[in-house]
Amino acid sequence: MSISAHIHAMSSEYDVKSKIDESTTNEFSTRINGSKLSYTATIGNQPVWNENGEPTATLFYTYYKRTGVKNSETRPLIISFNGGPGSASVWMHMAYTGPKILNVDDEGYPLQPYGTKSNPYSILDVADIVYVNPVNTGYSRVLPNKEGKMPSKPEQKEMFFGVNADITYLADWISTFVTRNNRWRSPKYLIGESYGTTRVAGLAHELQNSQWMYLNGVILVSPTDMGMKRDGPVKAANRLPYFAAAAWYHNKLSDDLQSRDLIDVLNEVESFTIGQYLPALAQGGFISNELKANIAAKVATYSGLTKEVVLQNNLDISTSYFWKALLRNEGQTVGRLDSRYLGIDEKESGTRPDYNAELTSWLHSFTPAINYYLREELGYITDLKYNMFGNVYPWDRSNNTTGKDLRLAMAQNPYLNVMIQAGYYDGATNYFDAKYSMWQLDQSGKMKDRLSFKGYRSGHMMYLRKEDLKQSNQDIREFIKNTIPNSNTPAKY
């Protein structure tokens, strides 16, 4: 039986509601940076295959390709993932790099009627983009085996739900996609957000070593630790610059700090963090009373909290406590992923907020927008639920070496560059942790000219704020242009 016949038989015999291997393409036009361009949007499903050539899952994707391009083989391709793990690709698809974005205000807050609008800053003018939904996110689903039985939870975990399983099957999927769409000659880039940075860091190495696919760039948006541990004093100290940013935004710092620009303040706080705060925390319970009091006073000055609170916490303030405590006297909490957002708890006492103020706000807009957009604008008709967050747990986090793997991929590939993007008000994957990871990624310093950091005055999804949407897309656009070597430039040291 042919593969296509086998898929058809599975779909008919077992009433699989997922569309296993099909796609639809429509033509559109838009304006980006003032210029009109035409593009196609292909939306569909492409299988994941096992070693016997049997489909084990089907991944839902959306592929935007600019039309009217003379040399398509030299046009960059960006492969986009969100995180979670368990998150659909909806976030960057519908709010960042794609041709359509949410109907939100200039600061990123939801507006009714819900829906979409054109993205005048999309990177589609310089690169084609495919948004990929890993298994159980979006409309992507595990498939029954050839006997019609669904794999057990342990079997599914081994195949899909873990740091390394995720990277392995997605590398295979990407290779198939690139082959089907004749993109082997294109400069290729990966972009991942949050846990998606772990994913794309690992994929950069896996694609080179198992698929023989070499990339030009990896973009890490609000990165995780990628297996590079930041525990103990480092973990505690690295929070302070974020605390300072959030406190500055909410006018909780002293008048002299509030009167200065945010970046100027953060430069001072970063220097204190590395030079004084981290060494003090490293002394633990053996720090002198005098030094502890002096450090506590400085931490209080930069965090907007009181010296008493800092001392009560032995200089180590948890992020959850900070979200609850910063605006306690005003009866409000601040958001985890974006501390510009405010929440209201049942009680003002306590050590952590009742809910994530920013996430509930975002889901206002994203859920109706993606369901409307895929069905009514792109024509994808299905009764499946679009999983904003899918069931991928328990997730196997063991043997996470993705940061080291990314460094090795860079060492093996002189063309490979990495850019980090982070929001100053992100309390989940804070910007100073992102800087720290960049510093630690290549301790030799031999590749630091291929590593760059961009910061924005917003949170985890910095692109929700209009000013940062424009700048962050422009930063990607320039990154792409700067990482495509001139013709006939050899990849060598």
Side-chain angles (χ1 to χ4, degrees):
M1 180 183 294
S2 69
I3 291 297
S4 59
H6 176 63
I7 293 172
H8 178 75
M10 283 182 60
S11 182
S12 302
E13 186 176 355
Y14 302 114
D15 192 27
V16 176
K17 294 183 180 179
S18 299
K19 300 178 181 181
I20 296 174
D21 194 357
E22 62 180 40
S23 64
T24 301
T25 300
N26 291 293
E27 297 181 353
F28 299 90
S29 64
T30 190
R31 298 188 74 87
I32 297 175
N33 286 332
S35 298
K36 185 177 180 180
L37 63 83
S38 299
Y39 66 94
T40 58
T42 299
I43 192 164
N45 294 75
Q46 178 185 293
V48 175
W49 316 92
N50 65 16
E51 59 187 12
N52 298 318
E54 299 161 345
T56 57
T58 182
L59 298 195
F60 174 72
Y61 68 92
T62 308
Y63 173 39
Y64 297 103
K65 183 179 180 181
R66 183 174 179 175
T67 54
V69 177
K70 292 182 179 179
N71 299 312
S72 60
E73 70 274 7
T74 61
R75 183 166 166 79
L77 173 68
I78 290 190
I79 304 162
S80 179
F81 293 96
N82 274 99
S87 173
S89 71
V90 56
W91 313 100
M92 291 198 292
H93 182 180
M94 295 304 299
Y96 192 6
T97 52
K100 288 294 186 76
I101 53 175
L102 300 173
N103 184 31
V104 293
D105 74 5
D106 286 354
E107 290 297 313
Y109 291 90
L111 296 173
Q112 289 188 340
Y114 299 124
T116 64
K117 58 187 178 183
S118 295
N119 180 5
Y121 312 117
S122 168
I123 58 170
L124 187 57
D125 59 331
V126 296
D128 299 329
I129 319 163
V130 57
Y131 298 92
V132 186
N133 295 270
V135 173
N136 278 3
T137 72
Y139 295 131
S140 300
R141 295 294 189 270
V142 180
L143 296 175
N145 60 27
K146 60 184 179 181
E147 285 79 32
K149 296 180 180 179
M150 291 295 291
S152 66
K153 288 292 287 186
E155 289 172 332
Q156 290 186 34
K157 178 180 178 180
E158 183 178 353
M159 289 190 292
F160 307 116
F161 304 139
V163 173
N164 294 298
D166 179 74
I167 290 166
T168 299
Y169 87 80
L170 286 173
D172 284 338
W173 190 94
I174 289 170
S175 181
T176 301
F177 180 87
V178 167
T179 298
R180 285 185 173 188
N181 290 277
N182 302 316
R183 300 309 298 260
W184 273 100
R185 296 179 66 189
S186 299
K188 287 173 280 294
Y189 296 80
L190 300 178
I191 182 171
E193 179 180 74
S194 196
Y195 182 83
T197 61
T198 295
R199 176 175 286 137
V200 299
L203 276 169
H205 180 263
E206 180 72 10
L207 285 169
Q208 284 184 195
N209 286 273
S210 70
Q211 305 297 329
W212 311 286
M213 182 184 295
Y214 285 71
L215 306 173
N216 283 64
V218 174
I219 301 163
L220 307 173
V221 180
S222 304
T224 60
D225 62 21
M226 298 175 290
M228 299 182 294
K229 300 303 181 185
R230 302 181 296 241
D231 295 328
V234 170
K235 183 177 182 180
N238 279 9
R239 301 180 188 126
L240 185 59
Y242 150 70
F243 289 165
W248 184 92
Y249 180 83
H250 291 290
N251 294 299
K252 283 298 178 180
L253 301 182
S254 60
D255 290 343
D256 63 317
L257 290 175
Q258 287 294 158
S259 67
R260 292 159 56 186
D261 182 70
L262 173 63
I263 306 306
D264 185 37
V265 172
L266 293 182
N267 287 337
E268 179 179 319
V269 179
E270 290 179 19
S271 295
F272 168 77
T273 297
I274 293 296
Q276 300 181 54
Y277 189 28
L278 177 57
L281 286 167
Q283 296 180 50
F286 284 75
I287 189 174
S288 71
N289 290 336
E290 181 181 4
L291 179 56
K292 186 173 184 178
N294 290 338
I295 294 295
K298 271 290 194 181
V299 171
T301 296
Y302 291 138
S303 66
L305 303 176
T306 66
K307 179 179 176 181
E308 180 183 23
V309 162
V310 177
L311 286 170
Q312 287 171 347
N313 285 275
N314 296 319
L315 308 181
D316 181 356
I317 310 297
S318 72
T319 48
S320 58
Y321 182 86
F322 177 81
W323 302 325
K324 182 75 173 183
L326 181 66
L327 301 181
R328 195 190 300 271
N329 291 340
E330 285 85 349
Q332 293 177 312
T333 62
V334 299
R336 170 178 174 262
L337 294 164
D338 191 330
S339 293
R340 297 176 302 150
Y341 289 72
L342 302 176
I344 303 173
D345 282 358
E346 182 178 7
K347 297 180 180 179
E348 293 175 10
S349 62
T351 58
R352 65 182 311 119
D354 293 347
Y355 64 99
N356 294 331
E358 78 297 329
L359 189 57
T360 54
S361 176
W362 294 340
L363 289 170
H364 262 284
S365 301
F366 278 95
T367 309
I370 190 66
N371 280 278
Y372 151 78
Y373 178 66
L374 295 178
R375 190 179 186 91
E376 298 187 45
E377 291 197 29
L378 298 188
Y380 190 86
I381 308 300
T382 179
D383 289 335
L384 284 179
K385 180 176 74 172
Y386 186 92
N387 286 336
M388 302 289 286
F389 300 101
N391 181 11
V392 301
Y393 298 99
W395 189 265
D396 183 0
R397 297 182 182 271
S398 63
N399 195 29
N400 179 0
T401 61
T402 53
K404 291 183 178 180
D405 292 341
L406 177 57
R407 191 217 68 83
L408 182 56
M410 291 180 68
Q412 295 171 342
N413 178 6
Y415 283 156
L416 181 55
N417 291 261
V418 174
M419 180 173 70
I420 292 173
Q421 297 182 304
Y424 296 122
Y425 306 129
D426 179 4
T429 58
N430 76 69
Y431 89 91
F432 197 61
D433 272 344
K435 279 190 174 183
Y436 180 87
S437 291
M438 180 179 70
W439 297 336
Q440 302 303 316
L441 189 67
D442 173 36
Q443 293 186 346
S444 75
K446 295 176 181 177
M447 296 188 291
K448 63 183 179 182
D449 61 327
R450 290 194 271 148
L451 294 162
S452 59
F453 174 88
K454 301 292 183 181
Y456 308 92
R457 299 183 186 224
S458 44
H460 195 72
M461 296 196 290
M462 74 289 297
Y463 42 81
L464 286 175
R465 180 171 175 260
K466 183 178 180 180
E467 183 177 329
D468 292 321
L469 171 71
K470 181 178 180 179
Q471 185 59 53
S472 56
N473 273 291
Q474 183 60 26
D475 288 338
I476 294 177
R477 187 176 286 106
E478 292 176 2
F479 177 71
I480 291 171
K481 290 179 179 179
N482 292 335
T483 53
I484 297 177
N486 295 327
S487 296
N488 300 317
T489 300
K492 68 176 184 178
Y493 292 113

